[in-house]
Amino acid sequence: VVMAAARNVMRAVRVFEFGGPEVLKLQSDVLVPVPKENQVLIKVHACGVNPVETYIRSGTYARKPALPYTPGSDVAGVIESVGEHVTAFKKGDRVFTLETLSGGYAEYAVAAANRVFPLPDKLDFRQGAAIGVPYFTAYRALFQKGCAKAGESVLVHGASGGVGLAACQIARACGLKVLGTAGTEEGMNVILRNGAHQAFNHRDPNYTERIKACTGPGGVDIIIEMLSNVNLDADLQLLSCAGRVMVVGCRGRIEINPRDTMSKESSIIGVSLFLATEEERHECATAVLDGIEAGWLKPVVGLEYPLEKVAKAHEDIICSSGARGKMVLLL
């Protein structure tokens, strides 16, 4: 009886109050969730860490989960069991998710079957945990909201992180001219290896002048912006006529002059994967799975942490000096 009882609990990170990284509590007696109809239970091998999870945890994000909750959406692992009416997956299948229902920072996670995708053998679980939110967000920013076309130029600001590298790979595969920024030499090299034609160090005081020299008087057609509270004003000066800034990330307020949008009829467009329709998600999934099969979609894994170090991961994703790929928790 003790053995059976022990099997029904797992280690999972729980948040009982909003606040700093210290509110992430690792517990070893959390009940393993049971998949209902059209759901699957995944034995988690790796889970991606996204900046948005730190905003949600701090209580400053628009969407607040009911407390207590387990953070995490991008998991990769193996199907443990399936609920009723699930035919696409069976026990033992390797999979990755776009989101979970029970939270990904845990040994097991329940997800809706239509948010789960097969993980090809050519990618490991760490890479699987780096696909969901970054690649779907990058595709949505570029095409569903940014209306990118082959032959246009795109500047990816903060290109060495998870979404940034995804945007570089996707844009390059789809025929865009790709420029990227990073904060370190290593980050710039990672960008160049993953689709960028040119890389710029955004710590260089003259980097915007260098970008202008590279794009010429026409400017850049699309900017994928991870830190709009720092860069948005400068972004508007870099755009082409009818250029658009896609706001993927923001950590505060910024002052801009709206006249800068009038002189070029440029647009500032917010991007939120949470608002994607079922049809849009299906389009993202099709593009992503096709990219994996074709071989150009290769997730870059950056810093790795055991579940015990989850608070450190949340601290580092916001405060570290420069990203080099997707941050993941390993289980």
Side-chain angles (χ1 to χ4, degrees), residues 79-126:
I79 297 284
E80 179 72 19
S81 61
V82 301
E84 275 188 284
H85 312 310
V86 175
T87 54
F89 301 103
K90 63 185 186 307
K91 183 175 167 66
D93 287 350
R94 300 170 86 247
V95 294
F96 72 93
T97 66
L98 178 60
E99 61 185 78
T100 68
L101 295 164
S102 59
Y105 296 7
E107 289 178 321
Y108 292 91
V110 161
N114 65 354
R115 299 283 191 277
V116 176
F117 307 96
L119 180 65
D121 289 337
K122 64 170 98 166
L123 299 179
D124 63 29
F125 292 118
R126 294 152 53 253

Side-chain angles (χ1 to χ4, degrees), residues 129-205:
I131 300 171
V133 170
Y135 282 87
F136 281 59
T137 300
Y139 183 87
R140 182 168 179 77
L142 283 163
F143 299 105
Q144 292 177 342
K145 295 295 169 188
C147 305
K149 294 180 184 64
E152 287 192 312
S153 58
V154 59
L155 169 64
V156 183
H157 242 319
S160 61
V163 178
L165 288 168
C168 288
Q169 290 177 3
I170 294 171
R172 180 65 180 256
C174 294
L176 283 90
K177 180 180 180 181
V178 185
L179 313 176
T181 76
T184 64
E185 196 70 34
E186 194 182 351
M188 288 164 69
N189 289 333
V190 169
I191 296 171
L192 291 168
R193 285 199 301 274
N194 284 280
H197 292 87
Q198 283 188 277
F200 304 87
N201 189 328
H202 54 63
R203 295 183 198 281
D204 172 357

Side-chain angles (χ1 to χ4, degrees), residues 10 12-14 30-34 39-42 44 68-72 99-106 108-112:
M10 63 173 180
V13 173
R14 302 291 280 161
V30 179
L31 284 175
V32 174
V34 177
Q39 295 177 355
V40 298
L41 178 67
I42 300 164
V44 178
Y69 77 99
T70 295
E99 61 185 78
T100 68
L101 295 164
S102 59
Y105 296 7
Y108 292 91
V110 161

Side-chain angles (χ1 to χ4, degrees), residues 5 38 41 43-44 47 55 73 78 124 147 153 163 177 179 192 214 229 271 274 276 282 285 320 325:
N38 300 314
L41 178 67
K43 183 172 194 334
V44 178
C47 181
Y55 311 150
S73 55
V78 175
D124 63 29
C147 305
S153 58
V163 178
K177 180 180 180 181
L179 313 176
L192 291 168
C214 177
N229 55 299
V271 179
F274 296 119
H282 180 69
S320 71

